[in-house]
Amino acid sequence: MFCVNLGKRGIERREVEGGKNQHRFNAYLSVKKFAQERIAPLVSKMDENSAMDEAVIKDLFDQGLMGIEIDPQYGGTGASFFSSILVIEELAKVDPSVAVLCDIQNTLINTLFVKLGTEAQKECYLPRLSTEMVGSFCLSEAESGSDAFSLKTRAEKHKDYYIINGSKMWISNAEYAGVFLVMANVDPSAGYRGITCFIVDRDTEGLHIGRKENKLGLRASSTCPLNFDNVKVPESNILGKAGQGYKYAIGMLNEGRIGIAAQMVGLAQGCFDQTIPYVQQRVQFGKRIFDFQGMQHQISHVATQLEAARLLTYNAARLKEAGKPFIKEACMAKYFAAEVATLTTSKCIEWMGGVGFTKDYPIEKFYRDCKIGTIYEGTTNIQLTTISKFIDQEYNG
Amino acid sequence: MSARVLVGVKRVIDYAVKIRVKPDNTGVVTDGVKHSMNPFCEIAVEEAVKLKEKKLIKEVVAVSCGPQQAQETIRTALAMGADRGIHVEVSGKDYDNLGPLQVSKILAALAKKEETSLIILGKQAIDDDCNQTGQMTAALLDWPQGTFASEVVLEGDKVKVIREIDGGLETVRLKMPAVITADLRLNTPRYATLPNIMKAKKKKIDVVKPGELGVDLTSHLEVLRVDEPPQRQAGMKVETVEELISRLKEAGRM
């Protein structure tokens, strides 16, 4: 396994396993440069206005970062899942909102199409998803968050089409998405076995995108409620098989949570990277505040937790890529990384002192952004319960 | 047009890194320090790739002289659009002593071997700031040179170069083959997109030794000592013009 850490002073430490990782390292440097030069200048404004700059979205597409695992025959980049993880981590160092846009596209939307799409569906959507169209994943509702499968959105079958009625909530990317993957129930009497994944184009009649939420953090990422008012969708728009939606959702979210773990790791690292130089130059009582042992111990503790979170994330990604069981590890990575992000950002504000508490410095934004990590794509409590289920199985003789 | 362009790319310490002098004052610390492509070399690559995209030239070959890590720099050029790379392997003492004269001998030999119409280099490297390689290469080949280029226009078998000079802009027309060195305002280098980085994996990098090119790397320069620039002294504030004049006189500056 290799480990890469480019601190602010440009010190690099890595063990390379050969040509394959060298190339990944180069790719990640390119994304780092792009993020620093093209995204960083816009972060503060996007946060304040609660809006993603459209130039950023276009840039992400132009850089090939929105179709990382899509085959080049469809216009994608043709890279690996691990590459997606590195890209998400790198983007999150600069802006976690941009990272989540990239994460959802790559780990949820694209993966669903690639794994479940018919050739016709792939040809219709993958090229656009690679080059210009954002996708949204619609599972949660006002009355069903963690209890996802109690969703109420209904899809009634008529001949060769379905009529969808209901509403979704907390839908990321909704503001600029061109396509929505909507989980609706075609047969409530079958319980969750009626949940089906539908492809709904943005301009479909009856689909209303509500006003975006005014959020504490990740503000540049649009989060909107959606309303489905007799939305007509052809049968050919079912992704995968009817009634299997619950399986697909679980499967995708297992992978998606590695992406969120990467986002949290990047967030924590980005925050840390901007704090340490301040701590090194701030002088009190005749010495750098970094030189006080109390500070050194806190800083080292946080750095260690960060490193551990990163390794958990990379390990989960490696297991998934190798086709080995990875769900427990993915849950651990997401849960731990979110906790570490909370710890890191909170401590960074303290280390910065008064200026950490002002909007003039980027630290407080990371503090606000990190909180969603313990909530979305499976709350911390859900992760812990899932981990315990695996432990229970493992020790069951 | 079967024109081939050779672009030199140098691996240097990244521009954002704080340089530290080695404790023995023989050089700067390079171990474990972030390196990247010299910014002016990036501009040179961008210009060559642009010419290829306009279909004015056929092939862009990226060349770098140095140890194994020089291949990373060539890969970046490939990811920006160069077609193939040549890594001239120089390491150890030879690499420590590698300067513009040696590199220009190598480039001249390669240019002849590869039937080159145009050599585009960065005007200088940000580590030694020599600003000599382009000029020396042209001299060794007896080719015309257009240095400090802020605009390059191919015109048949000639190339028009607008040069940034102290007094303004100078336009020269060179008969190819020629050497051009890129200045800051020539273009804005593209980012290597992820798909292009993936494609670059499959592009070829040939490895050659300077001996195979008949080049002698002996240096006639010896670095005696490397020091940090003197620490900046604090200034002082003065209240009036009279005081300023008297202070300047005191300091022997007037």
Side-chain angles (χ1 to χ4, degrees), chain A residues 6 9-12 14 22-23 27 30 33-34 37-38 62-65 68 77-79 87, chain B residues 11 15-18 20 32-35 42 72 75-76 190-195 197-198 201:
Chain A
L6 255 92
R9 303 292 298 276
I11 308 295
E12 60 182 56
R14 69 185 152 97
Q22 177 57 61
H23 130 78
S30 183
K33 186 175 174 207
F34 155 73
E37 292 177 13
R38 299 284 292 188
D62 288 345
Q63 292 294 307
L65 302 178
I68 296 176
T77 299
V87 169
Chain B
R11 180 176 181 261
Y15 75 90
V17 170
K18 184 160 189 270
R20 281 175 296 163
V33 171
K34 182 172 177 217
H35 284 65
E42 284 181 355
E72 291 167 26
R75 285 272 168 230
T76 308
R190 64 196 62 194
Y191 295 102
T193 66
L194 212 54
I197 293 174
M198 300 296 296
K201 267 204 298 182

Side-chain angles (χ1 to χ4, degrees), chain B residues 102-222:
Chain B
Q102 291 75 26
V103 173
S104 51
K105 284 181 184 170
I106 292 172
L107 290 177
L110 279 174
K112 287 194 196 124
K113 183 165 175 255
E114 295 281 340
E115 287 175 20
T116 310
S117 314
L118 212 55
I119 299 178
I120 308 183
L121 308 172
K123 70 171 179 181
Q124 67 200 56
I126 59 169
D127 49 10
D128 54 22
D129 283 324
C130 282
N131 200 304
Q132 297 167 359
T133 307
Q135 293 86 336
M136 285 177 170
T137 309
L140 287 169
L141 287 166
D142 198 23
W143 286 6
Q145 57 182 262
T147 56
F148 305 97
S150 69
E151 199 180 325
V152 170
V153 181
L154 282 190
E155 296 171 345
D157 63 343
K158 300 203 178 58
V159 55
K160 182 176 87 175
V161 179
I162 298 183
R163 308 178 55 230
E164 296 201 2
I165 61 173
D166 285 350
L169 297 172
E170 180 191 61
T171 308
V172 295
R173 191 171 278 111
L174 318 170
K175 192 154 187 295
M176 305 216 293
V179 175
I180 298 176
T181 72
D183 207 328
L184 190 65
R185 279 158 284 273
L186 180 57
N187 59 50
T188 307
R190 64 196 62 194
Y191 295 102
T193 66
L194 212 54
N196 285 340
I197 293 174
M198 300 296 296
K199 285 184 203 143
K201 267 204 298 182
K202 303 194 181 86
K203 294 182 184 173
K204 202 157 171 286
I205 298 182
D206 292 313
V207 183
V208 305
K209 293 206 165 30
E212 293 167 35
L213 299 170
V215 171
D216 170 23
L217 292 179
T218 322
S219 175
H220 304 280
L221 299 173
E222 186 194 336

Side-chain angles (χ1 to χ4, degrees), chain A residues 244-392:
Chain A
Q244 296 282 290
Y246 73 98
K247 250 194 216 159
Y248 305 148
I250 299 183
M252 289 314 110
L253 289 172
N254 282 333
E255 300 179 11
R257 69 189 44 137
I258 305 177
I260 298 298
Q263 181 207 26
M264 289 293 126
V265 169
L267 186 163
Q269 188 68 55
C271 184
F272 191 80
D273 286 347
Q274 305 222 39
T275 305
I276 299 303
Y278 179 85
V279 169
Q280 288 174 315
Q281 51 108 310
R282 173 88 175 160
V283 171
Q284 291 284 274
F285 303 107
K287 57 182 182 181
R288 307 181 305 168
I289 58 175
F290 193 102
D291 293 325
F292 288 91
Q293 195 177 57
M295 287 293 289
Q296 290 173 344
H297 287 193
Q298 289 179 22
I299 290 168
S300 299
H301 173 71
V302 167
T304 308
Q305 300 289 320
L306 225 175
E307 186 80 349
R310 174 175 290 113
L311 294 183
L312 273 173
T313 307
Y314 288 179
N315 190 43
R318 288 299 178 109
L319 287 169
K320 179 211 172 283
E321 266 196 339
K324 295 192 193 294
F326 69 93
I327 300 174
K328 183 182 80 162
E329 288 78 4
C331 289
M332 287 176 156
K334 196 255 182 189
Y335 145 63
F336 192 71
E339 297 290 309
V340 170
T342 307
L343 167 71
T344 306
T345 53
S346 186
K347 277 295 174 210
C348 283
I349 294 191
E350 287 175 34
W351 300 335
M352 299 277 286
V355 304
F357 203 65
T358 69
K359 283 186 177 283
D360 298 320
Y361 286 73
I363 310 302
E364 58 84 32
K365 176 178 176 291
F366 285 111
Y367 178 74
R368 288 184 284 110
D369 285 347
C370 77
K371 204 62 231 166
I372 193 63
T374 59
I375 298 171
Y376 69 179
E377 281 205 39
T379 65
T380 291
N381 288 343
I382 294 288
Q383 306 300 341
L384 292 170
T385 303
T386 309
I387 295 169
S388 72
K389 287 196 178 121
F390 280 92
I391 298 174
D392 205 5

